[in-house]
Amino acid sequence: MAAPEWSQPPAVVGGGESADDVEQLELELLLEAVYRRYGYDFRQYAPASLRRRLRRRQDAEGVATLSQLQDRLLHDPACMERLLLDLSISVTAMFRDPSFYLAFRSIVVPALRTYPFTRPWCAGCSTGGEVYSLAILLQEEGVYERTRIYATDINEQVLDTARAGVFPLDKMKQYTQNYIRAGGKREFSEYYVAAYDGARFSRSLTENIVFAQHNLASDRAFNEFNVIVCRNVMIYFDKALQDRVHKLFHDSLETFGILALGHKESVAFTPYADSYEVIDASERIYRKTA
């Protein structure tokens, strides 16, 4: 009599968890390890965007799982630097969304003129496109000399790029068009010189800019500001982290100060919605009232 043929049982993960459950556990452990080892807190970033960026880093490092990536991150700080670049929000351009800068000129600048000295905060400044745009605008409106702009980002490497003030030459045509549509009052080419390594912007634009590392996910308020600009950053955060950042901005903004979020974000449906009045609905520019 022939021996019975036994079918192989289906592959299962111990405890009955699915592969997705295991990957979720790996993700949570990796983020906790990064926080405890390096102090960077990505635990409340939007999961879909976070997974995409981690998978890219996983592929680039040539490792098969998030657990293997975690092991490398814990023992190789250079790998952490590479991951930090992946996780940092580095989409930026000069005078991006020109209508925002038109609104800033017409609505925010008149308010700034009423102060003897102003402190705007450009939060999540990345490689500097927005903060240089603000500096140019404030120079043209005659208020830059009594202004100190604080430009912050979680990533020291992108801050170094911002400090250098060098942008790709092939971007200047688009930036010039943005500048014109944003109400620019001079020739855009007056603000930079073309060099072999890119367009070097005038050092006069950074005289009143303080570049500093700051983590919106974990750091506290560090000054009181007349204006806070934070566009296209919180869309990458989950609701709990968005609420935390709104608390940070509320604590950092003086009464009657301006919060400028751009058209992709809003204070609506946050715990601080009643603390602001809308002064430009399209560009999501608000004045703090309480």
Side-chain angles (χ1 to χ4, degrees):
M1 181 176 177
E5 293 183 1
W6 299 99
S7 60
Q8 291 292 326
V12 296
V13 179
E17 297 92 343
S18 69
D20 288 343
D21 292 334
V22 172
E23 186 181 65
Q24 178 61 31
L25 178 59
E26 286 184 307
L27 175 63
E28 293 171 4
L29 291 171
L30 183 149
L31 297 178
E32 184 67 25
V34 166
Y35 176 63
R36 294 177 64 177
R37 173 75 168 85
Y38 297 102
Y40 294 113
D41 193 351
F42 297 103
R43 293 172 296 181
Q44 292 179 301
Y45 275 47
S49 174
L50 193 58
R51 287 177 187 276
R52 284 195 304 272
R53 293 164 190 253
L54 285 170
R55 286 192 185 108
R56 284 200 296 268
R57 178 48 42 200
Q58 185 179 313
D59 291 342
E61 297 295 326
V63 296
T65 66
L66 288 177
S67 292
Q68 292 173 3
L69 180 60
Q70 175 185 318
D71 183 70
R72 183 165 298 181
L73 287 166
L74 288 174
H75 296 96
D76 183 1
C79 181
M80 182 62 222
E81 289 298 320
R82 295 190 291 270
L83 178 63
L84 193 58
L85 282 174
D86 295 333
L87 296 180
S88 298
I89 313 305
S90 56
V91 178
T92 185
M94 296 195 72
F95 292 97
R96 183 184 184 188
D97 302 323
S99 60
F100 172 82
Y101 292 93
L102 281 173
F104 197 96
R105 284 183 190 271
S106 64
I107 296 172
V108 180
V109 168
L112 295 182
R113 288 198 177 105
T114 66
Y115 294 97
F117 190 83
T118 62
R119 290 181 302 276
W121 177 15
C122 184
C125 70
S126 186
T127 53
E130 184 151 74
V131 69
Y132 279 85
S133 302
L134 288 174
I136 289 171
L137 186 155
L138 294 173
Q139 270 196 1
E140 292 182 352
E141 297 298 330
V143 295
Y144 183 74
E145 292 305 314
R146 46 195 177 90
T147 296
R148 177 166 290 116
I149 304 173
Y150 292 80
T152 65
D153 198 273
I154 188 177
N155 191 324
E156 189 64 43
Q157 190 168 338
V158 301
L159 286 172
D160 286 342
T161 301
R163 289 185 186 99
V166 179
F167 294 85
L169 272 173
D170 61 4
K171 298 289 187 182
M172 290 305 107
K173 182 178 180 180
Q174 180 61 56
Y175 291 178
T176 299
Q177 294 171 352
N178 290 351
Y179 168 75
I180 292 169
R181 292 168 57 206
K185 297 182 176 181
R186 296 169 58 181
E187 293 293 328
F188 187 62
S189 58
E190 293 179 28
Y191 292 106
Y192 67 88
V193 294
Y196 69 93
D197 57 347
R200 289 186 168 272
F201 277 74
S202 170
R203 302 314 299 173
S204 68
L205 296 174
T206 57
E207 288 178 356
N208 294 351
I209 299 177
V210 177
F211 292 100
Q213 190 175 37
H214 183 273
N215 188 343
L216 291 173
S218 57
D219 292 343
R220 298 180 180 180
F222 62 95
N223 210 327
E224 186 176 60
F225 298 97
N226 310 100
V227 179
I228 297 175
V229 178
C230 183
R231 301 193 300 147
N232 305 308
V233 175
M234 286 189 283
I235 56 174
Y236 297 99
F237 300 164
D238 70 10
K239 180 64 167 59
L241 183 52
Q242 288 174 1
D243 287 348
R244 184 206 184 280
V245 175
H246 276 293
K247 180 181 188 307
L248 173 66
F249 289 163
H250 184 268
D251 293 346
S252 302
L253 195 62
E254 70 170 19
T255 303
F256 305 121
I258 305 295
L259 177 63
L261 297 179
H263 62 268
K264 291 184 178 179
E265 290 153 353
S266 173
V267 299
F269 308 110
T270 74
Y272 302 93
D274 293 337
S275 298
Y276 296 92
E277 64 176 354
V278 179
I279 56 178
D280 189 294
S282 176
E283 300 301 332
R284 310 286 172 83
I285 300 176
Y286 307 89
R287 178 182 287 112
K288 179 181 172 181
T289 58

Short mmCIF file of all heavy atoms in Angstrom, two decimals, residues 1-6:
data_model
loop_
_atom_site.label_atom_id
_atom_site.label_comp_id
_atom_site.label_asym_id
_atom_site.label_seq_id
_atom_site.Cartn_x
_atom_site.Cartn_y
_atom_site.Cartn_z
N MET A 1 0.86 -1.20 0.00
CA MET A 1 0.00 0.00 0.00
C MET A 1 0.89 1.24 0.00
O MET A 1 1.82 1.37 0.77
CB MET A 1 -0.88 0.02 1.26
CG MET A 1 -1.81 1.21 1.34
SD MET A 1 -2.90 1.09 2.80
CE MET A 1 -3.74 2.64 2.64
N ALA A 2 0.57 2.16 -0.91
CA ALA A 2 1.40 3.37 -1.03
C ALA A 2 1.19 4.27 0.18
O ALA A 2 0.10 4.36 0.74
CB ALA A 2 1.03 4.11 -2.32
N ALA A 3 2.29 4.92 0.52
CA ALA A 3 2.19 5.88 1.62
C ALA A 3 1.30 7.04 1.23
O ALA A 3 1.30 7.46 0.08
CB ALA A 3 3.59 6.38 1.99
N PRO A 4 0.52 7.57 2.14
CA PRO A 4 -0.37 8.69 1.79
C PRO A 4 0.45 9.94 1.44
O PRO A 4 1.53 10.16 1.98
CB PRO A 4 -1.18 8.90 3.07
CG PRO A 4 -0.34 8.36 4.16
CD PRO A 4 0.39 7.21 3.57
N GLU A 5 -0.08 10.76 0.51
CA GLU A 5 0.58 12.01 0.14
C GLU A 5 0.01 13.12 1.03
O GLU A 5 -1.19 13.36 1.05
CB GLU A 5 0.32 12.33 -1.33
CG GLU A 5 0.99 11.33 -2.27
CD GLU A 5 0.78 11.70 -3.72
OE1 GLU A 5 0.13 12.75 -3.97
OE2 GLU A 5 1.24 10.96 -4.61
N TRP A 6 0.89 13.75 1.77
CA TRP A 6 0.45 14.83 2.66
C TRP A 6 0.67 16.17 1.95
O TRP A 6 1.74 16.45 1.44
CB TRP A 6 1.25 14.81 3.96
CG TRP A 6 1.09 13.53 4.73
CD1 TRP A 6 1.93 12.47 4.75
CD2 TRP A 6 0.00 13.18 5.55
NE1 TRP A 6 1.45 11.47 5.54
CE2 TRP A 6 0.26 11.88 6.06
CE3 TRP A 6 -1.19 13.81 5.93
CZ2 TRP A 6 -0.62 11.22 6.91
CZ3 TRP A 6 -2.05 13.15 6.78
CH2 TRP A 6 -1.77 11.87 7.26
#
